[in-house]
Amino acid sequence: MRVAVLGMGQMGRAFAGRALGRGHRVAVWNRSPGRVPELVEAGATEAPSPADAARQADVVLVVVADDAAVEEVCLGGGSSGGGALAALRAGAVLANVSTVSPGTVRRLADAGPPDAVLDTPVMGGPAAIGRGEGRLLVGGPVATMDRLQPLWSDLSAGQVHCGPVGSASVVKILSNLQLVVGVGVLAEAVATAREHGVDDDLLRSVFSDSAVVSTASRARLDSILAPEHPGWFPPALARKDLRLAIALAREGRVGARLGAAAEALLTTVIDSGDEWPDFSAIVEALGPGPALPGPAPPGPAPQGSAPQGPAPPGPVPAGSPGPDPS
């Protein structure tokens, strides 16, 4: 197939490289040109605009950072030039892989040709995508999804149809909510353990083999422990996804407490000015600081203090009605 990949971040490069490796003809576009000489050397064509990349493609994969970038790339405007949607040839499909709000991808579907837009966020990071091990979540017409099965088989380990356009974005956003909050909980455990003198090697030994630590959190344990916090999913993108999840919760009248707490921690990390490569740097917001409000620790009551809890029953005064028998 002729595949256009718009956005040459780590995920976009992984998709383009995988498609090339499986024999597809690939055009790539990035806002900053000349970023992927290795893909060009491997056979990709670098296009000057999203529209130019999309014009001859059977499938356009949009892999950019956020809602604003998706709308600019697909609908046109800004520094991106002509939009990819208007340039689609007859029968071509635009698949948005970016993690964005369901409303954004629905707007693309409304603006594009009938049944030509799919909502296709992916479960898995760049390394998994490069090995063809990512799992696609798909929202949109089943017939459109099925028409691209040869490409999906080359690029992924399978796909799950989630419903109409927008539904896959909901599932992806809430999956990332679980990822970021889970890693935040593990980071809090690490920070607390360190303050109590527990060695990192012991934490690694215990937490890497613990049934209570999720597989996704365990995969970031070494990054939490390492001072450089290596990885590929930076704090700003993780916070963006948390904010999408919080917005979904509020739309559904759900009290988003855990996501909001993790979002505040990532904001602390981002505002520090340090450029961490991965959101596992959330542990940096959990160092020693002012005591948090909460219940006082248990201990003996000071001498002469009043007893805690309700007073024991005493004699009923004369003439009182006594206890209510009901």
Side-chain angles (χ1 to χ4, degrees):
M1 283 189 178
R2 292 171 294 183
V3 180
V5 183
L6 309 183
M8 288 289 103
Q10 294 189 64
M11 294 291 282
R13 291 199 301 270
F15 273 110
R18 178 70 184 177
L20 281 169
R22 301 298 289 181
H24 297 277
R25 293 169 56 189
V26 177
V28 299
W29 171 85
N30 194 63
R31 193 184 308 275
S32 303
R35 186 172 178 181
V36 285
E38 73 282 2
L39 291 176
V40 174
E41 290 174 8
T45 301
E46 187 166 15
S49 73
D52 287 309
R55 197 161 281 121
Q56 299 301 319
D58 300 308
V59 183
V60 179
L61 302 180
V62 181
V63 197
V64 294
D66 55 25
D67 292 67
V70 166
E71 292 195 349
E72 180 181 327
V73 165
C74 295
L75 301 177
S79 61
S80 300
L85 263 181
L88 287 181
R89 55 190 286 274
V93 174
L94 184 143
N96 177 60
V97 184
S98 320
T99 303
V100 297
S101 71
T104 292
V105 74
R106 290 184 194 119
R107 284 192 292 277
L108 299 185
D110 290 342
D115 299 337
V117 173
L118 290 177
D119 177 21
T120 56
V122 64
M123 304 290 288
I129 301 305
R131 297 190 299 267
E133 296 173 0
R135 193 178 189 201
L136 291 164
L137 305 172
V138 183
V142 174
T144 305
M145 178 185 74
D146 289 346
R147 196 152 47 86
L148 302 182
Q149 187 57 52
L151 179 64
W152 303 146
S153 296
D154 282 342
L155 298 186
S156 73
Q159 66 273 352
V160 178
H161 188 254
C162 299
V165 168
S167 59
S169 286
V170 172
V171 176
K172 176 60 189 295
I173 289 166
L174 298 181
S175 296
N176 281 7
L177 168 68
Q178 296 176 73
L179 168 65
V180 179
V181 170
V183 170
V185 170
L186 180 58
E188 184 170 300
V190 166
T192 304
R194 284 171 165 172
E195 291 305 311
H196 286 272
V198 180
D199 182 79
D200 279 6
D201 288 339
L202 177 59
L203 293 177
R204 184 178 287 105
S205 174
V206 173
F207 290 159
S208 65
D209 193 35
S210 172
V212 303
V213 180
S214 73
T215 301
S217 295
R218 192 158 51 240
R220 276 185 161 79
L221 175 59
D222 283 340
S223 184
I224 292 171
L225 294 171
E228 303 86 3
H229 308 303
W232 62 271
F233 192 6
L237 289 183
R239 182 178 67 172
K240 179 264 297 183
D241 289 355
L242 285 180
R243 288 177 172 176
L244 291 172
I246 292 166
L248 287 177
R250 287 175 177 164
E251 288 171 18
R253 302 177 66 83
V254 175
R257 304 290 192 270
L258 299 177
E263 189 272 344
L265 290 171
L266 285 175
T267 295
T268 298
V269 170
I270 293 165
D271 289 349
S272 73
D274 292 312
E275 296 288 337
W276 303 108
D278 194 79
F279 78 93
S280 54
I282 195 170
V283 72
E284 298 292 332
L286 293 164
L292 297 175
Q303 189 172 2
S305 65
Q308 301 297 310
V316 178
S320 70
D324 185 346
S326 61

